Amino acid sequence: RRADAVQELTAGAAAVALNEARQHVFAKVGDLDRLLSRIHTMSGNNNDHDETNYHPNDRAVLYESATYNKRKVNDFSKALTGLRQACQIPDLFADIQLNPEGLLFKLVKLQDQGGCFPNMVQELDWFFENFDCNQAAKGLFEPSRGMDEAYDEACDSIERIQAELEDYRQEMCQKLSPKHLATSSWKYVNTKPDSKDKYMIELPASVQVPDSFLVKGKRGSGAKQVNKYRTSVVAPLVQEL
């Protein structure tokens, strides 16, 4: 069958289509086999946490740059672009009469036309609408809402926790003394995702705080001393982050 497909491909109109595909499609497809193999290796199964099949990347919920680094995201971007280019192949052979029983027909005709070539256009369009390939090529990728349920849930949790932290700040500032100084100077520090000791409370040492405020550090001295606190309310919220 392979020999017949080669003979059919190098004769008549099929040869013209092959030459056009070589010039305009194949050169831009890239090494899809290698790229897809890499993506498959680095992908995880979120629904299967058996230790024998549990890939380390399954532990990632947010898209952290330390895990999803530039090379991995760039490979995914190249694969998307290559697959989109490959989708042109059925169009190039659309008007060419091929042996419906032959291998070439199966390879270049869409599944709804009796072939084996998958129609990926709709799926690829979804990725291109939600995935900026130009940004990904630079190693920058932040998914959009609606792409992944786990990611959306993580974003909702972060927003809820940050709102609770702000509510706690406003509530406590009404109870601390002097109130005006607490209100103007209360600050959460170490708020970046990769920070240690996240959301420590910074207040001037002159602000009187309850015993539940545990001092975890300080900077400055005298009238300019600033203390860093952790409380029983903030601690469990930080644990959720």
Side-chain angles (χ1 to χ4, degrees), residues 31 80 110 141 150 152 161 202 210 235 240:
D31 191 349
L80 289 178
L110 294 171
F141 173 48
D152 290 346
I161 291 168
E202 273 196 355
E240 288 189 62

Side-chain angles (χ1 to χ4, degrees), residues 49-101:
H49 292 287
D50 179 75
E51 290 185 359
T52 59
N53 298 316
Y54 189 44
H55 194 281
N57 276 19
D58 283 350
R59 291 194 293 266
V61 174
L62 296 181
Y63 295 79
E64 300 175 3
S65 58
T67 303
Y68 295 86
N69 60 29
K70 180 177 180 179
R71 181 182 62 80
K72 297 170 190 173
V73 179
N74 195 29
D75 282 347
F76 185 62
S77 173
K78 289 179 179 178
L80 289 178
T81 302
L83 288 170
R84 170 168 276 187
Q85 291 293 327
C87 285
Q88 300 178 53
I89 293 175
D91 293 335
L92 296 176
F93 288 87
D95 299 326
I96 299 175
Q97 295 297 321
L98 300 172
N99 178 11
E101 302 298 325

Side-chain angles (χ1 to χ4, degrees), residues 17 23 26 28 35 37-38 43-44 56 70 73 79 86 88 90 93 96 102 115 125 150 156 159 166 213 225:
Q23 293 180 7
F26 296 152
K28 300 177 182 179
L35 291 171
S37 177
R38 276 189 183 180
S43 65
K70 180 177 180 179
V73 179
Q88 300 178 53
F93 288 87
I96 299 175
D125 283 346
D156 291 340
E159 291 176 359
E166 176 59 22
F213 277 56
Q225 180 176 319

Side-chain angles (χ1 to χ4, degrees), residues 11-228:
V16 177
L18 174 62
N19 185 57
E20 188 173 350
R22 185 185 297 115
Q23 293 180 7
H24 303 290
V25 178
F26 296 152
K28 300 177 182 179
V29 166
D31 191 349
L32 274 179
D33 185 56
R34 178 182 61 83
L35 291 171
L36 292 174
S37 177
R38 276 189 183 180
I39 293 170
H40 176 74
T41 299
M42 294 310 303
S43 65
N45 185 348
N46 291 328
N47 298 318
D48 185 1
H49 292 287
D50 179 75
E51 290 185 359
T52 59
N53 298 316
Y54 189 44
H55 194 281
N57 276 19
D58 283 350
R59 291 194 293 266
V61 174
L62 296 181
Y63 295 79
E64 300 175 3
S65 58
T67 303
Y68 295 86
N69 60 29
K70 180 177 180 179
R71 181 182 62 80
K72 297 170 190 173
V73 179
N74 195 29
D75 282 347
F76 185 62
S77 173
K78 289 179 179 178
L80 289 178
T81 302
L83 288 170
R84 170 168 276 187
Q85 291 293 327
C87 285
Q88 300 178 53
I89 293 175
D91 293 335
L92 296 176
F93 288 87
D95 299 326
I96 299 175
Q97 295 297 321
L98 300 172
N99 178 11
E101 302 298 325
L103 177 61
L104 182 59
F105 183 94
K106 298 293 184 183
L107 293 176
V108 301
K109 295 294 184 179
L110 294 171
Q111 292 174 340
D112 58 5
Q113 298 171 340
C116 296
F117 200 100
N119 190 340
M120 303 175 285
V121 174
Q122 185 174 355
E123 288 80 2
L124 289 172
D125 283 346
W126 182 88
F127 277 104
F128 277 97
E129 289 170 2
N130 294 279
F131 185 83
D132 191 330
C133 288
N134 293 327
Q135 288 293 93
K138 302 174 184 177
L140 304 173
F141 173 48
E142 182 175 345
S144 304
R145 287 275 195 162
M147 288 184 64
D148 182 82
E149 184 177 350
Y151 177 76
D152 290 346
E153 290 176 357
C155 289
D156 291 340
S157 295
I158 291 173
E159 291 176 359
R160 173 184 58 79
I161 291 168
Q162 290 176 337
E164 290 184 26
L165 288 168
E166 176 59 22
D167 290 343
Y168 177 67
R169 184 189 73 81
Q170 294 182 13
E171 177 186 348
M172 292 305 302
C173 283
Q174 297 301 312
K175 300 177 180 180
L176 300 180
S177 178
K179 184 189 302 184
H180 72 279
L181 181 59
T183 302
S184 63
S185 58
W186 178 304
K187 181 171 65 175
Y188 288 115
V189 296
N190 305 332
T191 59
K192 294 183 178 180
D194 56 349
S195 298
K196 294 182 179 180
D197 298 323
K198 292 184 178 67
Y199 285 89
M200 298 290 287
I201 301 169
E202 273 196 355
L203 283 169
S206 57
V207 174
Q208 299 178 20
V209 299
D211 294 339
S212 59
F213 277 56
L214 303 179
V215 179
K216 294 296 184 179
K218 61 183 67 176
R219 60 182 175 84
S221 60
K224 295 183 178 180
Q225 180 176 319
V226 174
N227 291 341
K228 296 181 179 181

